[in-house]
């Protein structure tokens, strides 16, 4: 137990294997337990691999025995040694209707990183984990090689009849990247205000003396904000938004700095400050939307539509702005929005139908109002996709006879019965009037629109009434709306494969990355169980499971997109 705990400690804290051979560490352990035998770094590596393989086998059995399909996110990361690693994350909803996320692969990928190479790497991962028969969707960014990879994957799985339906919902485009591309299109039109503010922030951060002078001015003018203007990374629009938002609050301080420091010449003009303030108001819905869909601990598939629609309405409003530059920016953003809407509207709209607060009529209404003449074609496509998916799930569900109305009239008619034809007519009429499970769900009353609805718990409670739809919902809501789950692993990998640990083998890298993720998941599960027991024992009345997106995103406000991952589908990532 002690040796296993030591290995887990090294993995979770991203410590070097050689820690066990350091004399201070050995003396520390001796003070705790003089009889504990310190092992060598080689043995620690063996223990890490053993722990990884044991947990890998247990997780593979858990996913294999699950009734649900699984969704994936995947992304490519380049290490400091210029080696490409493909991170694959698995998302599924377990038997208790809890969303689960696990990194299942962090493998070195051979060059070139084109669609075929990526497909072969992904297919190998699916085969190793015995998941080829359980694939539902995969969320990727908008690089051209990812589009080709999904094309190969769809063809491969359809040829072997391993996808439900025609695989129309297989490819989920990362919502955070789509929003990023839309905003970047707007920043191409308006950049003067951001440039001046960026240079101002860069100026005050360029030396200790300038920082001190700016702090003194803040006190003089009486600004009480605790945050200081951060310098953005131009390729990350959300960092530019945060820079503008914070800098606007320090406008008086920057103006005072100009009068006290003759070297400061990049003070924004009156119009540029007004433009910065306006840009903050325009891009706030984009920033909030990115935070909502970047979550990995709660379902995001059904939330994507709502935040994207808010963005759509904001763009349309600004397209008629009296300021020509703002209107021109909005028009460009509209074009980019429409491009990705046409590519992804099925994946965006279908999950909303299985939200009992909205259902199909809500989507039909919004599409026809929001897209005019195009609305009916969008609605028809969404409806046919939903019905095809329901039919595919029904065909795999035992005793689903009530969901398919027989059309034959081959009953034997008694020629001696003068009313036999009438009886046959009544029987046929009765059968045609029977409703399947999908029709019953869509006609049932809407659930009250409450922000804190736990949609997974709702479907768990109604799984007996809607057995087929609940299986659909379980798979649809497991699909993440962004690739943050995979991208977040890159922060860990950057520390694991550092300049001081560049000799790690790819096998050890994968074991460290995956094992850390699994240990954290186990720890979070145990903590959640303990907290639930504690709260319920203390006061059952205050135990409320709140899955409000606005509360759950509090830990995701610093979402960032790696610079080398920001690519439109016209580009090629390598």
């Amino acid at each position: 137990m002690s040796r296993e705990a030591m290995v887990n400690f090294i993995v979770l804290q991203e410590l070097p294997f050689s820690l066990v051979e350091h004399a201070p560490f050995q003396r520390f352990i001796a003070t705790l337990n003089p009889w504990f035998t310190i092992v060598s770094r080689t043995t620690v590596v063996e223990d890490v691999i053993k722990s990884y393989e044991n947990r890998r086998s247990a997780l593979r059995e858990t996913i294999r025995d699950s009734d649900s399909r699984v969704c994936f996110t995947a992304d490519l990361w380049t290490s400091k040694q210029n080696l490409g690693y493909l991170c694959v994350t698995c998302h599924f909803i377990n038997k208790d209707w809890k969303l689960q996320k696990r990194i299942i692969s962090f493998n070195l990928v051979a060059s070139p990183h084109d669609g075929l190479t990526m497909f072969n790497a992904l297919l190998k991962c699916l085969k190793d984990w015995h998941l080829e028969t359980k694939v539902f969707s995969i969320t990727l960014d908008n690089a051209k090689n990812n589009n080709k990879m999904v094309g190969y994957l769809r063809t491969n799985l359809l040829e072997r009849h391993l996808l439900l339906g025609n695989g129309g919902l297989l490819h989920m485009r990362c919502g955070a990247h789509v929003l990023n591309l839309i905003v970047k299109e707007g920043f191409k039109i308006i950049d003067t205000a951001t440039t001046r503010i960026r240079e101002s922030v860069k100026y005050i951060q360029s030396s200790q003396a300038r920082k001190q002078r700016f702090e003194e001015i803040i006190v003089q003018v009486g600004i009480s904000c605790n945050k200081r203007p951060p310098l953005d990374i131009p390729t990350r629009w959300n960092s530019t938004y945060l820079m503008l938002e914070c800098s606007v609050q320090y406008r008086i301080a920057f103006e005072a700095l100009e009068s006290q420091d003759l070297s400061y010449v990049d003070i924004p003009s009156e119009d540029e400050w007004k433009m910065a303030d306006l840009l903050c108001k325009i891009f706030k819905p984009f920033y909030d939307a990115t935070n909502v869909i970047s979550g990995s601990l709660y379902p995001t598939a059904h939330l994507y539509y709502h935040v994207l629609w808010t963005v759509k309405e904001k763009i349309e409003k600004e397209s008629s702005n009296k300021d020509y530059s703002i209107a021109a920016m909005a028009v460009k953003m509209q074009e980019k929005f429409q491009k990705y809407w046409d590519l992804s509207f099925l994946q965006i709209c279908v999950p909303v139908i299985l939200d009992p607060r909205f259902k199909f009529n809500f989507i039909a209404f919004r599409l026809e109002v929001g897209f005019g003449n195009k609305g009916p074609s969008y609605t028809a496509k969404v409806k046919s996709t939903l019905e095809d998916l329901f039919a595919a799930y029904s065909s795999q569900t035992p005793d689903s006879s009530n969901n398919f109305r027989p059309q034959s009239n081959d009953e034997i008619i008694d020629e001696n019965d003068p009313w036999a034809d009438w009886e046959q007519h009544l029987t046929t009429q009765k059968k045609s009037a029977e409703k399947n499970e999908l029709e019953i769900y869509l006609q049932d009353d809407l659930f009250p629109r409450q922000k804190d609805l736990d949609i997974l718990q709702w479907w768990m409670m109604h799984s007996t009434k809607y057995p087929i739809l609940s299986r659909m919902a379980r798979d649809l809501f497991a699909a993440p709306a962004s690739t943050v789950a995979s991208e977040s692993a890159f922060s860990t990998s950057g520390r694991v494969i550092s300049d001081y640990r560049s000799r790690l083998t790819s096998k050890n890298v994968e074991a460290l990355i995956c094992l850390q993720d699994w240990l954290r998941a186990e720890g979070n599960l145990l903590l959640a169980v303990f907290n639930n027991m504690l709260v319920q024992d203390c006061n059952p009345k205050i135990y409320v499971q709140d899955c409000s997106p606005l509360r759950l995103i509090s830990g995701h406000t610093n979402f960032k997109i790696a610079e080398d991952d920001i690519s439109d589908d016209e580009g090629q990532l390598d």
Side-chain angles (χ1 to χ4, degrees):
M1 286 294 292
S2 297
R3 200 161 113 185
E4 181 183 2
M6 182 181 69
V7 169
N8 292 348
F9 170 69
I10 290 174
V11 172
L12 286 169
Q13 300 303 316
E14 301 164 6
L15 298 170
F17 298 137
S18 60
L19 172 72
V20 296
E21 297 177 352
H22 292 179
F25 178 77
Q26 294 176 351
R27 288 195 295 270
F28 170 69
I29 294 299
T31 62
L32 299 177
N33 184 357
W35 294 277
F36 180 73
T37 302
I38 299 291
V39 296
S40 67
R41 72 171 76 184
T42 303
T43 304
V44 171
V45 173
E46 293 173 353
D47 287 350
V48 168
I49 298 299
K50 181 180 178 181
S51 179
Y52 162 72
E53 291 178 345
N54 289 340
R55 282 179 164 81
R56 184 174 184 267
S57 298
L59 179 59
R60 184 161 51 190
E61 290 182 8
T62 298
I63 299 175
R64 183 194 63 194
D65 296 340
S66 173
D67 293 333
S68 63
R69 287 183 169 254
V70 294
C71 302
F72 301 91
T73 57
D75 208 349
L76 190 67
W77 176 75
T78 302
S79 70
K80 292 183 178 180
Q81 293 74 37
N82 291 322
L83 299 176
Y85 290 84
L86 180 65
C87 179
V88 180
T89 307
C90 175
H91 305 255
F92 63 98
I93 295 173
N94 64 15
K95 62 181 181 180
D96 297 321
W97 285 83
K98 301 296 182 184
L99 182 61
Q100 304 295 313
K101 174 198 75 74
R102 301 289 188 276
I103 298 174
I104 62 172
S105 177
F106 199 91
N107 266 327
L108 187 65
V109 180
S111 184
H113 300 149
D114 55 20
L116 183 59
T117 303
M118 301 278 284
F119 161 70
N120 288 329
L122 179 61
L123 189 62
K124 181 180 182 300
C125 170
L126 297 179
K127 288 181 177 179
D128 290 345
W129 281 82
H130 305 157
L131 293 176
E132 293 172 284
T133 61
K134 297 178 77 69
V135 176
F136 182 80
S137 73
I138 180 167
T139 304
L140 302 162
D141 64 31
N142 298 290
K144 184 182 292 185
N145 56 351
N146 284 336
N147 296 335
K148 292 182 177 179
M149 177 182 72
V150 172
Y152 291 130
L153 180 64
R154 180 183 287 109
T155 300
N156 181 280
L157 297 179
L158 285 176
E159 287 178 349
R160 294 186 288 160
H161 307 287
L162 299 180
L163 281 180
L164 287 174
N166 61 359
L169 300 180
L170 174 66
H171 187 189
M172 184 81 172
R173 294 175 184 272
C174 174
H177 282 260
V178 170
L179 291 172
N180 175 74
L181 293 170
I182 293 172
V183 175
K184 282 180 64 181
E185 197 69 22
F187 273 124
K188 290 178 183 178
I189 305 298
I190 296 180
D191 194 38
T192 55
T194 58
T195 300
R196 283 274 190 170
I197 291 178
R198 183 180 297 118
E199 291 302 318
S200 296
V201 174
K202 192 181 299 183
Y203 181 82
I204 64 174
Q205 293 186 0
S206 60
S207 71
Q208 181 179 357
R210 290 173 178 174
K211 285 183 179 179
Q212 289 178 188
R213 180 176 298 175
F214 193 68
E215 289 294 330
E216 292 169 359
I217 292 174
I218 290 173
V219 174
Q220 292 173 10
V221 299
I223 298 176
S224 59
C225 181
N226 293 325
K227 296 187 297 182
R228 295 294 181 264
L231 183 62
D232 73 327
I233 300 173
T235 54
R236 298 176 182 171
W237 80 266
N238 53 335
S239 70
T240 303
Y241 167 81
L242 292 173
M243 180 187 71
L244 295 177
E245 181 192 41
C246 190
S247 297
V248 167
Q249 301 176 53
Y250 286 88
R251 174 179 175 178
I252 299 175
F254 280 113
E255 291 173 346
L257 178 64
E258 182 194 24
S259 63
Q260 298 181 29
D261 187 350
L262 298 178
S263 300
Y264 174 49
V265 296
D266 289 308
I267 180 71
S269 66
E270 177 76 16
D271 290 340
E272 287 169 340
W273 279 119
K274 289 181 179 179
M275 179 61 71
D277 188 48
L278 181 58
L279 289 176
C280 289
K281 294 175 181 177
I282 292 174
F283 291 129
K284 188 177 189 308
F286 291 81
Y287 182 75
D288 292 340
T290 300
N291 285 335
V292 171
I293 63 176
S294 296
S296 58
L297 302 179
Y298 56 91
T300 55
H302 66 301
L303 303 177
Y304 186 18
Y305 166 85
H306 299 291
V307 296
L308 197 61
W309 200 264
T310 300
V311 164
K312 176 182 181 296
E313 291 177 334
K314 186 65 174 178
I315 295 174
E316 290 176 347
K317 178 181 177 182
E318 298 303 331
S319 65
S320 58
N321 195 299
K322 295 180 180 180
D323 187 315
Y324 174 78
S325 57
I326 294 292
M329 177 191 74
V331 169
K332 284 292 184 181
M333 294 170 71
Q334 273 184 314
E335 294 174 359
K336 188 66 72 172
F337 176 93
Q338 189 63 47
K339 172 183 177 180
Y340 285 101
W341 173 267
D342 288 338
L343 290 171
S344 307
F345 72 93
L346 291 176
Q347 292 87 339
I348 295 170
C349 292
V350 171
V352 182
I353 299 174
L354 293 187
D355 186 331
R357 298 168 294 181
F358 301 101
K359 302 188 180 181
F360 179 77
N361 286 340
F362 170 80
I363 287 293
F365 168 76
R366 279 292 182 86
L367 291 177
E368 294 181 15
V369 170
F371 290 98
N373 295 334
K374 291 184 177 180
S377 63
Y378 287 138
T379 303
K381 186 64 175 176
V382 169
K383 183 178 181 180
S384 64
T385 300
L386 176 68
E387 291 174 345
D388 291 344
L389 190 63
F390 177 73
Y393 274 87
S394 297
S395 65
Q396 295 190 348
T397 303
D399 191 27
S400 59
S401 57
N402 65 314
N403 293 294
F404 292 95
R405 296 187 292 270
Q407 300 297 322
S408 63
N409 295 319
D410 297 335
E411 293 89 348
I412 299 176
I413 300 176
D414 186 355
E415 296 180 354
N416 298 322
D417 185 354
W419 300 291
D421 57 341
W422 172 244
E423 293 292 341
Q424 184 185 38
H425 171 72
L426 292 177
T427 300
T428 303
Q429 197 174 46
K430 180 180 179 181
K431 289 179 179 179
S432 64
E434 290 177 354
K435 298 176 182 177
N436 63 32
E437 186 179 307
L438 176 60
E439 293 168 336
I440 293 172
Y441 164 77
L442 294 178
Q443 292 181 12
D444 282 348
D445 291 338
L446 296 176
F447 188 82
R449 284 185 289 278
Q450 300 174 358
K451 292 183 179 180
D452 58 351
L453 170 68
D454 186 336
I455 198 164
L456 296 185
Q457 290 297 306
W458 190 94
W459 275 105
M460 182 181 70
M461 294 170 60
H462 293 79
S463 58
T464 303
K465 182 177 181 180
Y466 310 116
I468 299 174
L469 286 175
S470 64
R471 290 181 58 228
M472 282 178 54
R474 177 183 286 186
D475 296 343
L476 279 167
F477 293 142
S482 74
T483 58
V484 170
S486 290
E487 291 179 1
S488 61
F490 300 156
S491 298
T492 299
S493 57
R495 296 188 297 269
V496 170
I497 315 175
S498 64
D499 291 335
Y500 303 100
R501 305 181 76 184
S502 58
R503 296 170 60 188
L504 285 171
T505 66
S506 59
K507 180 180 179 181
N508 290 347
V509 169
E510 181 176 39
L512 287 169
I513 299 295
C514 293
L515 184 56
Q516 184 190 79
D517 179 70
W518 302 343
L519 289 171
R520 285 176 175 172
E522 291 175 8
N524 290 338
L525 179 62
L526 291 174
L527 182 62
V529 171
F530 174 78
N531 286 340
N532 289 346
M533 293 174 60
L534 181 64
V535 172
Q536 291 184 58
D537 287 343
C538 293
N539 189 347
K541 293 182 180 180
I542 66 171
Y543 175 59
V544 180
Q545 185 172 10
D546 187 0
C547 289
S548 169
L550 296 181
R551 291 182 173 88
L552 288 168
I553 65 173
S554 59
H556 299 276
T557 55
N558 292 322
F559 170 74
K560 294 181 179 178
I561 301 173
E563 179 176 350
D564 58 348
D565 291 332
I566 297 177
S567 175
D568 203 343
D569 58 2
E570 289 86 356
Q572 174 74 36
L573 286 184
D574 188 12

